Amino acid sequence: RKEVEQDPGPFNVPEGATVAFNCTYSNSASQSFFWYRQDCRKEPKLLMSVYSSGNEDGRFTAQLNRASQYISLLIRDSKLSDSATYLCVVNRGNFNKFYFGSGTKLNVKP
Amino acid sequence: GAGVSQSPSNKVTEKGKDVELRCDPISGHTALYWYRQSLGQGLEFLIYFQGNSAPDKSGLPSDRFSAERTGGSVSTLTIQRTQQEDSAVYLCASSLAGGSSYTFGSGTRLTVV
C-alpha cells in the first residue's frame, strides 16, 4: 500500500465552483501534513500546511482527520489560475522524511 | 542563497555518458532530498540526506545512480552510463529539520538521446 494516496483526477470544474480533494495516508504515526501546488512544467510549491484544528487561507481550507487518516483541501470560488496539480505531502517525523502523493489535477474552465 | 539552486537547468546527453547534477540548498537547511519526475507523472523519491546521518538511498533505481552531499551543503547526483529511461526532471528540495515544509529548486531537465 502506498504511503499517500490521491485521486489523480482530473477534476474539471467551472469558474466559481467549490471543489474538494481528499488524500489518505497509511501510517498513523504521521505528524506533519501539507498541500503543495505544481503548475505544468514547474516545481512544486507549498500551498499550505495542514493543522490538527484545520486552517483556512483565503479561498483555501485544509482539514485533517486523524481517526480516518485523511486530509482534505477545499477550494471555494475557483479561479482559472487555480488550475494545477495539487500534491498531498505527509511527514512521519522521524528523520524528517516526506512522502508525496501522486497529485490531483484540477482544471478550472471559463 | 534565497532559494534552492539547481544546475544545469537543462542537460542533453548521449546514451552511455555520465552526468552530474548539482543542488545548492537553502543556507542552514539540514535536510536535502532528490526526486525525479517523468513527464505527466508524480514525484519519485530518490535519496534523502539529513545532517550527518547516513543517507536514505532507498529510492535510487539502480547502482548507476549515486549522490553525495559534501560539508552538509551542496549535493551532487551522479548518473552513470545514462539510459533513455533516465530522461526526466530531477528536483532537489531542502528543509529545516523537525517536520517543517520544504522548498524545491526549479529542477534539471535531463534528456538522454
Side-chain angles (χ1 to χ4, degrees):
Chain A
R1 185 183 174 188
K2 289 184 181 178
E3 289 278 344
V4 181
E5 300 210 51
Q6 294 184 250
D7 181 343
F11 285 61
N12 298 306
V13 302
E15 268 188 295
T18 295
V19 61
F21 312 133
N22 278 348
C23 160
T24 58
Y25 59 95
S26 62
N27 195 308
S28 60
S30 299
Q31 297 182 11
S32 305
F33 309 88
F34 308 91
W35 284 102
Y36 276 71
R37 170 193 169 127
Q38 186 173 27
D39 293 292
C40 188
R41 300 175 78 85
K42 298 285 189 181
E43 74 274 20
K45 293 186 178 178
L46 178 67
L47 178 65
M48 58 197 304
S49 302
V50 186
Y51 304 123
S52 296
S53 55
N55 49 306
E56 187 174 312
D57 182 2
R59 298 181 293 108
F60 298 83
T61 300
Q63 292 195 311
L64 167 64
N65 185 317
R66 285 192 183 273
S68 300
Q69 294 183 205
Y70 75 84
I71 67 172
S72 63
L73 178 67
L74 180 78
I75 306 174
R76 290 180 298 277
D77 188 23
S78 299
K79 311 291 185 190
L80 295 176
S81 58
D82 294 335
S83 297
T85 296
Y86 291 83
L87 301 166
C88 169
V89 185
V90 172
N91 174 284
R92 279 193 205 164
N94 58 322
F95 303 108
N96 204 31
K97 185 173 179 180
F98 287 76
Y99 297 87
F100 277 79
S102 55
T104 297
K105 187 170 176 59
L106 172 65
N107 295 318
V108 181
K109 309 284 189 182
Chain B
V4 178
S5 178
Q6 289 189 249
S7 61
S9 55
N10 281 285
K11 175 73 176 178
V12 180
T13 190
E14 291 181 351
K15 179 181 172 181
K17 301 279 191 184
D18 297 352
V19 295
E20 281 191 355
L21 312 180
R22 177 187 167 106
C23 173
D24 201 340
I26 292 173
S27 178
H29 280 193
T30 59
L32 186 148
Y33 314 76
W34 284 97
Y35 287 85
R36 74 176 174 181
Q37 189 171 33
S38 301
L39 190 62
Q41 302 298 310
L43 290 163
E44 178 186 0
F45 168 75
L46 297 177
I47 188 169
Y48 161 57
F49 296 90
Q50 170 61 61
N52 295 322
S53 302
D56 178 348
K57 304 180 181 181
S58 60
L60 294 178
S62 77
D63 59 7
R64 296 187 296 106
F65 288 72
S66 62
E68 291 185 340
R69 188 178 185 194
T70 53
S73 181
V74 172
S75 177
T76 302
L77 177 70
T78 301
I79 309 173
Q80 295 177 310
R81 304 181 303 281
T82 51
Q83 304 294 314
Q84 287 185 328
E85 62 263 28
D86 299 335
S87 296
V89 176
Y90 288 81
L91 290 161
C92 174
S94 72
S95 76
L96 294 168
S100 57
S101 63
Y102 52 69
T103 302
F104 282 89
S106 54
T108 294
R109 187 174 300 279
L110 175 67
T111 305
V112 182
V113 298

